[in-house]
Structures are given as structure tokens and as C-alpha cells.
Amino acid sequence: MRPTFRATALFAAFATLASTVQAIPKITREGRYLYKDDGTRFYIKGIAYQEQGVVIQSDENQFGEPSNFIDPLALPDACARDLPFLTELGVNAIRVYSVNSSLNHDDCMTAFSNAGIYAIIDLALPLNGSIDRIVPSWSTNILGQYIKTIDAFSKYDNVLAFNVGNEVVINNGTAVAPYVKAAARDIKAYLKSKSSSVLVGYAAINGPSTFRDPLANYLSCDLSGNNQDSTAIDLYGLNDYSWCGDSSFQNSYAGTFGDYAGYNVAAYLSEFGCVSNPPRLWTESGAIFSSDMSPVWSGGIAFSYFPAESAAGQFGIVTISTDGKTVTTGEDFTRLKTQYNQVTPPDSPAKGSATASTYPACPTTNNTFVASTNLPPTPNEAACGCLLSTLSCRFTPATNNYTAIVGQLLDTACQFVGTYGRLSGCDPTIKLSFVMSQYYQLNDRNSQACSFAGNGTVNPLAPSSISAADAAASSCIANPDATFVPSAPASTGGGASNGGSTSTGNSNSPNGAVRLVGDSNALIGMIAMAFVSIASAAWTLA
Ligand SMILES: *[C@@H]1O[C@H](CO)[C@@H](O)[C@H](O)[C@H]1NC(C)=O
Ligand SMILES: *[C@@H]1O[C@H](CO)[C@@H](O)[C@H](O)[C@H]1NC(C)=O
Ligand SMILES: *[C@@H]1O[C@H](CO)[C@@H](O)[C@H](O)[C@H]1NC(C)=O
Ligand SMILES: *[C@@H]1O[C@H](CO)[C@@H](O)[C@H](O)[C@H]1NC(C)=O
Ligand SMILES: *[C@@H]1O[C@H](CO)[C@@H](O)[C@H](O)[C@H]1NC(C)=O
Ligand SMILES: *[C@@H]1O[C@H](CO)[C@@H](O)[C@H](O)[C@H]1NC(C)=O
């Protein structure tokens, strides 16, 4: 145990010192390597930096995903408290898994920049802010959230990469990969339109090479067959915990990493630090930063600075006092620090002789790797807004915490409207409104059929006949397959809940459709009925 520490005085000292240091070098990718301005190779020597959110264990949460998050870059006192420890560890990068674009990150980002520390920022958020593995969609709400985060961080000089996903694609779950690649495509186009050189990354789960290797190739391949980079990630991360205890390059890494010998873009270990064979010696960093790995890999991120509990064990290397003021380091901290401070990765190849990337054709689909080379279109906020204006019955939940109430329904609605149909890029609330409108129409626009236990509202401005509604909706999304450079979302909303002037179709009348389902699950029952009705109807936009 080391003595604890008071932040403020030392932080002030750092800040003073920082004003005399040079700006942090810009990092660029050249082929499959990263370089600083001065042409020396850049290796990520980093640590995960995010306090663990609340994890509710359940069958539906097999990955132990948190249901909330604490934005570590919006807490100036905590950053000031931790910065000396990060510096002592010898890191040049942190990985942050979720940030809140509406908060101020100036103090933390500036302090880290002045200390020579880059940030790799994951754009996803827990719950409804990421590409769903089971019911995937690449839609306006997620794209808008990603763009807001990029905009919030574009003023800082130390953002190294934005990750478009973490462990979204899993073994036997490769069908979701096109959504990740579409996200990479659109985020890449957006960054380019802002003249940003921040790298577009993805962090992959490790697993059998039968899906891991084709996925890596798929994310960095070119769909056009013309050696273009427009749908390729820049930075591939592998979350790899295969080095446990006192191991060696040959025993832990050689097999896996041989598979990446010809990889075309930059790669790093987006997480490492196995806890299954304690104590953690962190000797893998000797291998990661050696010439055994440097031909393909550009460093890694140790997991984790803060305590992080999982079924596998405890991953943190410090503890924070309950008042949040003091940091206590453990032996894990000391061992990682020792290892990190003694690595000297090879400064080769020279920037001038790094081979430019080529972007090969994408892996073909088979039984074990089913990712289509047909990507979802760019989510189109204007088209979805237009579509919403044509819908006769809208989902208007009483609470904006609607995902907790109707998450399952949203999933069902999303499945119903199909994979790449005209609606596929729209906010889930619009998809649900679409289904509700269908049901309302099929019930001859009886206002009861738009009640959905108080969750639905009639839109009096919608076209009155089914064919007119269909025509209007189709004209909103004239070109459903379009890809284009996205722009920042127009409003902060994006849901259906504030969709203009509406009159309520709700009443307490015992007659009509609402009577059919009288229990507390009214909405769920009604929507289920809507699905059944619509499944046999012809009216569809898909
Ligand atoms: C972001 O922070 C704002 C202001 O505290 C809060 O209202 C909002 O709910 C936060 N967003 C998320 C996604 O946590
Ligand atoms: C993937 O599918 C194969 C064959 O169907 C099965 O043996 C294996 O257990 C599955 N793996 C996972 C992680 O579900
Ligand atoms: C499936 O395709 C991938 C990518 O093309 C390939 O790596 C893998 O070996 C193939 N698997 C089988 C069982 O053919
Ligand atoms: C997630 O749900 C909240 C309400 O629970 C909403 O405010 C937010 O916009 C949603 N985020 C996305 C990306 O859909
Ligand atoms: C959202 O609703 C769920 C279930 O009703 C509740 O447990 C949760 O605390 C709510 N979250 C917020 C932020 O209101
Ligand atoms: C909306 O639907 C939910 C889920 O069925 C239900 O609990 C709620 O009472 C409904 N009405 C309103 C106004 O939220």
C-alpha cells in the first residue's frame, strides 16, 4: 500500500508546469502504424479510465452491462486527483467507455493533454445508446448521439480515436456486423467533413478465430472493390485477456496474433489484464511493446484504473476513498507501473517507409460468418421527421423514460419493420408510431384504436386515407438506400413524443378497441394485436 494523496496542491503544480510544455503531438495513421508529428512511431500505452456503472445481473444481461454511467471526463476534481497517478504509471492514453455530450469536459481534457495523455472515446452509451446486438439498427438516434459526442470533443487536441462499438459482434452473432460497419462509414464521413484526423475505431471481443478473424477483415475491407477506405475502420482493438499469470509471448499471443500478420490498418489491444491467475504481473506489456508484436500491434490498454468487478474477478488497480478525495494504490498498480516504465518499443518502420494501406475486398459470407456486404443506409433525420408527420397515430409516452417501459415493444416494432426497409434508420419511437398508425388505420380510425392505454395520440394532420398516407410516407424516404455525409442533428429531441400539435384519442369509453385488453399490460397487448393485424395486411413500407 502506498500513502494516500490530496489532489489540489499537486494539481496546481501540474497546471503551472503544463503551461510551459509543448502542445501534445498530433497522431496520424500511416498504413497500419501510428506516428507522431516528428515521425516517430506512436504506441498506445494506456489504461481504461471509467468508474463502473450499476450492473444489474440477469439472464438478459449476460455481458454484465451497466445500466448507468459516470462520465469521468466531466469531473475536474477527480481528474486532478487521478492525473498524478496516471503520470506515475507512465500511460500516454486512457480509454473512456461512455461520456455525456451535454457536460463540460474542458478541465479534464486540458489537464490530460498537458500531461501528454490522449483519450480513446467510445461513442456508445448503456441501454439504448448503442447498436443492439439482438435487434440491431443503425438509426437517427444513435447517429445523432455519436455526432453530439464528436462535436463536444472536437475542440480538444488529445482525442486519439472514437470507437463506434465495443464487443457488439459476437461469436454466432455476426449478422450485426453490417450495422457496425455502417456506423464506421458514416462517422468517418462526418469526421472527414470536419477536417478531423481522429481515428475511427472498434473494440472487438476475443473468441474463436472463425469469427474473430473474418470480423477484423470485414471491418477494414472495402465494399466497392476499388481499394477505397470509406467503409474501413482506422483502428482495430482486440479485447484480449489471454495472457494470464506468468506467461510468455509464445504461450499466450503467438497463435492469435499470427492471424493478423497481414492486417491492413492500425491495431492494438483495447483491453488486457487477465485476473484469473493472480497476482497480475503485467509482464505481457513486455511482449506487447516488443518486436514480436510491433510489426502489427501498436500497444494496448490495461484494464482498469478504477475498481471493476465482474464474474471473472476484480480488475481495478487503485481504490478511491468513499468521500472521493483520496486514491490508494495497490501492488497491481506498482507492478504495472514498473512494467510500463521499462518498455522501449521499436521505432520502426520509419514513417517514410510505412506502406500505405490497401483495402481488400470483404470476406465472403458462410455459415460461421454471416455478415452481409450490403450495409444499412445512412440514417436520415429529415426523412424520418417527414415520415412522422404522415403517421396518424403516434407513440407519445407520458414519461421520456420510455425505454424502461416499452423496451421490448420497441424491439418488436423494430423487428417488424424489417432489416433495411424505409423505416430502418428511424428512431425506435417512430417505428413504434408506424405500427400504431397501421393498427389505427385498420380499425377505421376509431380513436380508441390509437389509445394504447394512453401512450398513443392521434395526429389530425396526417393524410386520411391509407393510400394517401402510404404515398406521403413513401415520398418522405424517396431513396431508402442512400448513403451521404451526415450532419449534426437539428434538435435535441428526435423522439416522437413532441411531434407537433396533436389531439388525444384517449377516453374512458368502455367501447372500442381498447376494451379488448383490459389489464395493466394494455400497451403491450394492444401492440401485440396490432402486429397480428398488420402482419396479414398489405400496407407496408418495408
Ligand atoms: C447528461 O447530463 C445531463 C445534465 O446533467 C442530464 O440531464 C442527462 O440525463 C445526461 N445524459 C445521459 C445520457 O446520461
Ligand atoms: C456457436 O454455434 C456453434 C454451432 O452451432 C455452437 O457449437 C457454439 O456453442 C456456439 N457458440 C456460442 C458462443 O454460442
Ligand atoms: C467462413 O468465411 C470466413 C471469411 O471468409 C473464413 O475465414 C472462414 O474460414 C469460413 N468458415 C468456413 C467454415 O468455411
Ligand atoms: C435513450 O432514452 C432516453 C430516455 O430514456 C432518451 O432521452 C434518449 O434520447 C435515448 N437515446 C437514444 C440514443 O435513443
Ligand atoms: C426508468 O424506469 C424504470 C422502470 O420503471 C425505473 O426503474 C428507473 O429508475 C427509471 N429511470 C429513470 C432515470 O427515471
Ligand atoms: C403506457 O403503457 C405502459 C405499458 O403498458 C403502461 O404501464 C402505461 O400505463 C401506459 N400509459 C401511460 C400514460 O403511460
Side-chain angles (χ1 to χ4, degrees):
M1 290 287 192
R2 289 174 70 263
T4 56
F5 170 81
R6 297 241 157 238
T8 334
L10 216 120
F11 185 53
F14 263 84
T16 315
L17 203 128
S19 64
T20 63
V21 302
Q22 291 212 310
I24 193 167
K26 183 169 161 177
I27 306 297
T28 46
R29 176 171 75 85
E30 197 66 44
R32 58 165 142 167
Y33 304 116
L34 305 176
Y35 292 93
K36 297 189 217 170
D37 293 335
D38 66 3
T40 56
R41 229 183 119 179
F42 178 74
Y43 291 84
I44 296 162
K45 193 165 46 152
I47 191 147
Y49 185 72
Q50 185 131 29
E51 280 191 75
Q52 194 172 31
V54 176
V55 178
I56 299 165
Q57 295 294 354
S58 74
D59 287 351
E60 269 130 57
N61 188 18
Q62 289 171 2
F63 281 76
E65 279 153 11
S67 44
N68 68 353
F69 69 98
I70 301 157
D71 180 344
L73 299 176
L75 301 172
D77 291 346
C79 293
R81 175 198 66 203
D82 296 330
L83 182 53
F85 293 92
L86 296 170
T87 304
E88 189 184 337
L89 264 182
V91 302
N92 63 12
I94 52 172
R95 179 172 173 207
V96 175
Y97 291 80
S98 292
V99 294
N100 182 335
S101 60
S102 62
L103 301 178
N104 186 310
H105 304 97
D106 290 354
D107 287 352
C108 289
M109 288 302 285
T110 306
F112 289 150
S113 173
N114 289 339
I117 296 174
Y118 297 87
I120 296 172
I121 295 175
D122 284 51
L123 296 170
L125 297 179
L127 295 181
N128 61 337
S130 55
I131 298 169
D132 190 314
R133 229 179 254 121
I134 313 295
V135 187
S137 90
W138 173 233
S139 47
T140 53
N141 53 319
I142 311 280
L143 172 62
Q145 171 193 304
Y146 280 18
I147 286 179
K148 277 192 248 170
T149 299
I150 290 169
D151 286 352
F153 282 86
S154 63
K155 60 180 169 217
Y156 307 122
D157 60 5
N158 56 332
V159 180
L160 179 64
F162 289 118
N163 284 337
V164 296
N166 177 58
E167 301 191 352
V168 179
V169 188
I170 57 174
N171 189 20
N172 295 358
T174 51
V176 64
Y179 297 88
V180 175
K181 196 167 174 69
R185 173 199 64 202
D186 293 339
I187 292 309
K188 193 157 188 167
Y190 183 72
L191 288 170
K192 200 169 178 185
S193 77
K194 300 274 158 190
S195 304
S196 166
S197 61
V198 175
L199 307 170
V200 176
Y202 175 76
I205 194 170
N206 203 351
S209 59
T210 47
F211 91 97
R212 184 196 61 209
D213 297 354
L215 174 64
N217 293 331
Y218 177 85
L219 292 173
S220 66
C221 71
D222 171 38
L223 290 163
S224 74
N226 293 321
N227 193 23
Q228 302 293 305
D229 74 343
S230 53
T231 63
I233 56 169
D234 299 301
L235 183 63
Y236 170 82
L238 182 64
N239 294 341
D240 183 300
Y241 291 92
S242 58
W243 180 303
C244 300
D246 184 17
S247 190
S248 65
F249 173 76
Q250 279 308 325
N251 286 341
S252 291
Y253 287 164
T256 298
F257 294 163
D259 293 358
Y260 293 81
Y263 201 51
N264 61 332
V265 299
Y268 74 119
L269 301 190
S270 35
E271 288 174 10
F272 69 89
C274 168
V275 291
S276 71
N277 193 4
R280 286 197 286 185
L281 303 173
W282 296 106
T283 42
E284 63 266 54
S285 55
I288 294 168
F289 298 95
S290 76
S291 58
D292 283 332
M293 297 203 26
S294 63
V296 175
W297 303 88
S298 295
I301 298 279
F303 194 82
S304 140
Y305 181 77
F306 293 106
E309 195 69 49
S310 87
Q314 209 298 106
F315 287 88
I317 64 166
V318 305
T319 52
I320 310 291
S321 62
T322 44
D323 67 1
K325 291 210 165 74
T326 52
V327 176
T328 305
T329 61
E331 288 174 5
D332 244 351
F333 178 95
T334 310
R335 283 188 295 263
L336 179 59
K337 169 186 142 182
T338 303
Q339 293 296 327
Y340 261 180
N341 282 295
Q342 72 189 25
V343 301
T344 49
D347 183 23
S348 66
K351 189 175 184 184
S353 52
T355 314
S357 293
T358 55
Y359 299 91
C362 295
T364 49
T365 303
N366 60 25
N367 288 345
T368 51
F369 189 74
V370 302
S372 168
T373 48
N374 179 17
L375 301 189
T378 306
N380 187 332
E381 208 205 3
C384 292
C386 169
L387 183 78
L388 180 61
S389 73
T390 72
L391 297 179
S392 52
C393 174
R394 293 164 168 176
F395 175 53
T396 50
T399 164
N400 74 351
N401 185 11
Y402 56 80
T403 47
I405 311 171
V406 296
Q408 190 68 46
L409 278 179
L410 293 175
D411 284 356
T412 313
C414 295
Q415 272 171 330
F416 180 79
V417 299
T419 314
Y420 297 168
R422 286 176 199 270
L423 278 166
S424 68
C426 297
D427 184 296
T429 63
I430 296 182
K431 294 175 183 165
L432 192 51
S433 299
F434 175 80
V435 175
M436 290 164 69
S437 296
Q438 306 256 327
Y439 183 75
Y440 174 63
Q441 299 279 10
L442 289 168
N443 281 281
D444 298 326
R445 300 169 72 89
N446 176 339
S447 65
Q448 291 303 314
C450 182
S451 167
F452 297 96
N455 289 276
T457 305
V458 169
N459 171 15
L461 304 176
S464 54
S465 74
I466 287 182
S467 59
D470 192 8
S474 294
S475 74
C476 286
I477 305 184
N479 184 1
D481 301 326
T483 62
F484 53 91
V485 179
S487 51
S491 66
T492 52
S497 47
N498 44 12
S501 92
T502 48
S503 72
T504 175
N506 195 9
S507 88
N508 294 321
S509 158
N511 301 314
V514 84
R515 190 176 46 129
L516 296 170
V517 186
D519 61 18
S520 60
N521 276 334
L523 179 61
I524 294 171
M526 294 299 291
I527 299 273
M529 274 188 39
F531 290 135
V532 172
S533 311
I534 297 158
S536 55
W539 206 78
T540 176
L541 273 181

